[in-house]
Amino acid sequence: MPSAPLGFHRGGQGANSPPSSRRRHSHLGVGRSGAADRGALRLANRLLANPEDAACLEVTLGGLKVRAAGDLLVALTGAPCPATVTSPDGRTRGVGHASVERLPDGATLRLGVPPRGLRTYLAVRGGIDVPEVLGSRATDLLSGLGPARPAAGSVLPVGPAPAAFPAADLAPVPEPESGVLMLDVMPGPRHDWFTPGALAALCAEPYEVTPHSDRVGMRLRGPHLERARDGELPSEGMVLGALQVPPSGQPTLFLADHPVTGGYPVIAVVRDHHVDRAAQARPGQHVRFRLAGGHRFH
């Protein structure tokens, strides 16, 4: 039997339902999409004994308001934000982060703005049961594939509860960093399109995350990366974490909904274990890059 649905009242600056990525379709021009902070998604689902790839809500900078149409178990992970549950009789209580919480029938969950980090994940026991598109429930902002982003008045179906029960009430995990983020990189496939000092320049000074950033890519402002060649490349494959540099010399870090191909050279690629960290960087925050894996500047 399906669980009770979740009524969507307000989504703040953005909410969508990212489960695991849409795999094995890049030859059709379809990106993987999925959660921007994959570790936070997996943790939220593990807390509720869901499959790790169950769909949830990814909320940008808080502001979410949802109401339960039946008794539900929920968990919040990622960017910790002030969260309250208001019961139908008007009583309000606080909600813990990275913990299993009960959302009774008719109760309203509200999320404030997180003091650090960017993306918060709301998982429901049973998962958000929206229809799959090409084998995934992920909403891809670039291609438009997947279920529509929830709007005020939406009712989100919740799937059947899994047979297993939650094994822990709380996961003591570190919060996203609020200072300068250090991200490990390795040289990209087109680093030779830049002057010999460009890769060192990339790693020498911090870059600021600009407001023109989203799930497709993080636009950065900092040291200019000078090319050694004129012209543009034919379009070629792009990967999660690629640092693509347009003619402006200011890099863009590709995130979950990045394009499958691109024509600007990639000077470096953020190591996979730091992509989740990058996904929690908010506008105005600074990131630094560190050449890792035994690579050296030339």
Side-chain angles (χ1 to χ4, degrees):
M1 291 289 293
S3 298
L6 190 66
F8 189 92
H9 288 257
R10 187 176 66 241
Q13 295 200 25
N16 62 348
S17 50
S20 65
S21 53
R22 189 171 281 111
R23 300 172 181 269
R24 297 185 294 275
H25 295 292
S26 58
H27 65 293
L28 301 176
V30 177
R32 295 178 62 172
S33 190
D37 183 344
R38 299 159 296 172
L41 169 77
R42 292 193 295 265
L43 175 61
N45 279 320
R46 286 200 303 269
L47 281 166
L48 299 171
N50 285 341
E52 287 192 350
D53 62 353
C56 70
L57 286 177
E58 181 182 270
V59 184
T60 303
L61 285 177
L64 181 74
K65 179 182 175 183
V66 292
R67 185 174 64 196
D71 291 337
L72 298 172
L73 285 181
V74 300
L76 296 167
T77 59
C81 50
T84 59
V85 168
T86 302
S87 61
D89 62 9
R91 291 180 296 176
T92 298
R93 63 177 176 86
V95 174
H97 189 72
S99 62
V100 178
E101 300 285 346
R102 181 171 175 263
L103 191 61
D105 181 24
T108 299
L109 172 67
R110 292 179 174 86
L111 304 186
V113 177
R116 61 178 66 193
L118 182 65
R119 296 178 169 95
T120 302
Y121 294 82
L122 169 62
V124 183
R125 181 166 163 83
I128 304 295
D129 196 20
V130 291
E132 291 187 354
V133 177
L134 293 179
S136 173
R137 294 182 172 92
T139 300
D140 188 325
L141 300 187
L142 183 64
S143 68
L145 282 174
R149 296 174 67 177
S154 300
V155 177
L156 302 176
V158 176
F165 289 93
D169 295 328
L170 175 68
V173 294
E175 296 181 355
E177 300 173 49
S178 59
V180 178
L181 291 182
M182 184 65 75
L183 304 175
D184 288 344
V185 298
M186 53 187 173
R190 300 298 181 183
H191 69 91
D192 59 339
W193 272 58
F194 297 86
T195 60
L199 195 56
L202 175 73
C203 299
E205 300 291 339
Y207 282 81
E208 181 184 358
V209 180
T210 73
H212 306 292
S213 302
D214 55 20
R215 283 175 43 85
V216 177
M218 181 192 299
R219 295 180 183 270
L220 302 172
R221 182 187 301 118
H224 181 270
L225 302 176
E226 187 177 354
R227 290 195 196 177
R229 301 187 187 184
D230 296 325
E232 299 301 335
L233 287 162
S235 290
E236 56 187 7
M238 290 291 139
V239 298
L240 182 69
L243 280 161
Q244 189 185 62
V245 185
S248 67
Q250 300 296 293
T252 296
L253 170 55
F254 280 155
L255 297 176
D257 289 348
H258 69 85
V260 176
T261 61
Y264 297 135
V266 173
I267 190 172
V269 179
V270 173
R271 301 290 294 269
D272 188 71
H273 65 283
H274 276 178
V275 172
D276 287 356
R277 177 184 292 185
Q280 290 293 354
R282 57 202 294 168
Q285 194 168 356
H286 288 80
V287 299
R288 291 197 66 162
F289 299 105
R290 175 176 59 196
L291 201 58
H295 297 286
R296 296 181 179 180
F297 301 117
H298 297 288

